[in-house]
Amino acid sequence: MTETNQTKEKIDLVKAYQLFTEGKTIAQALNAPKETLDALYSVAVGDYEAKRYDDAVVGLQNLIGLDQNNPSYWALIGNTLRALGKYQEALYAWNICMSLDPKFATAMTIARVGIALKDKTWAVEGLMMALAHVGDNPHHLTDYQELFNQYEKL
């Protein structure tokens, strides 16, 4: 490697570090093409659908390392961890997903798993987030009320 190439690599790494400290994701700092991230996500989805959950977790952890702000990565790793029986870890992943992209369905999942685990803290967290996103959908309101009734029996 010539000295010019070594210098260029150092400059690129410094710039990547500066962008990362400015709140950019590693993928953004390194100019990772969106197509590459999409392809890696497709592999993780395929692993999940084929019930190769350990492989899916590894792929999703790598993706989250590149872009910790993508709610799809957090939602899928939450589902994958749940499939592996790692319910507490799944709850944390879904909670991060909710902070990035609040959705009624994700909040209800957090509440359901919290209730199933008899974990009032997680159940309340999910119920509060779900209530904030219930909107005008009467089906959502009915689902919420049924889940709240289950919570009250804990």
Side-chain angles (χ1 to χ4, degrees):
M1 185 181 296
T2 66
E3 188 169 332
T4 307
N5 287 341
Q6 289 175 342
T7 305
K8 183 176 180 343
E9 285 181 25
K10 288 180 185 176
I11 292 170
D12 289 343
L13 291 175
V14 169
K15 182 174 177 156
Y17 174 78
Q18 289 170 340
L19 290 171
F20 185 69
T21 59
E22 293 170 5
K24 302 288 185 190
T25 67
I26 291 175
Q28 290 170 324
L30 298 176
N31 276 337
K34 182 182 179 324
E35 295 79 19
T36 301
L37 297 175
D38 290 345
L40 292 171
Y41 183 66
S42 293
V43 170
V45 169
D47 286 337
Y48 175 80
E49 290 175 346
K51 299 184 180 185
R52 293 186 301 262
Y53 300 126
D54 290 325
D55 293 338
V57 167
V58 170
L60 289 161
Q61 287 172 333
N62 289 330
L63 282 166
I64 288 167
L66 291 170
D67 182 0
Q68 73 278 10
N69 298 323
N70 188 313
S72 296
Y73 302 165
W74 288 105
L76 185 57
I77 201 167
N79 293 347
T80 305
L81 292 166
R82 178 186 61 194
L84 289 169
K86 298 179 179 183
Y87 300 107
Q88 288 293 328
E89 291 178 49
L91 287 166
Y92 283 106
W94 291 323
N95 197 38
I96 293 168
C97 177
M98 278 296 295
S99 70
L100 295 169
D101 185 20
K103 290 198 174 17
F104 177 76
T106 304
M108 290 292 283
T109 299
I110 292 170
R112 279 188 191 96
V113 172
I115 289 168
L117 294 174
K118 297 187 184 334
D119 185 324
K120 288 185 176 186
T121 302
W122 278 112
V124 167
E125 178 95 8
L127 286 167
M128 288 174 45
M129 289 186 289
L131 185 59
H133 299 286
V134 73
D136 296 332
N137 185 324
H139 180 48
H140 285 178
L141 191 55
T142 301
D143 287 350
Y144 175 84
Q145 190 59 52
E146 289 173 6
L147 200 56
F148 186 81
N149 291 342
Q150 290 175 27
Y151 166 77
E152 287 185 319
K153 294 176 186 173
L154 288 181

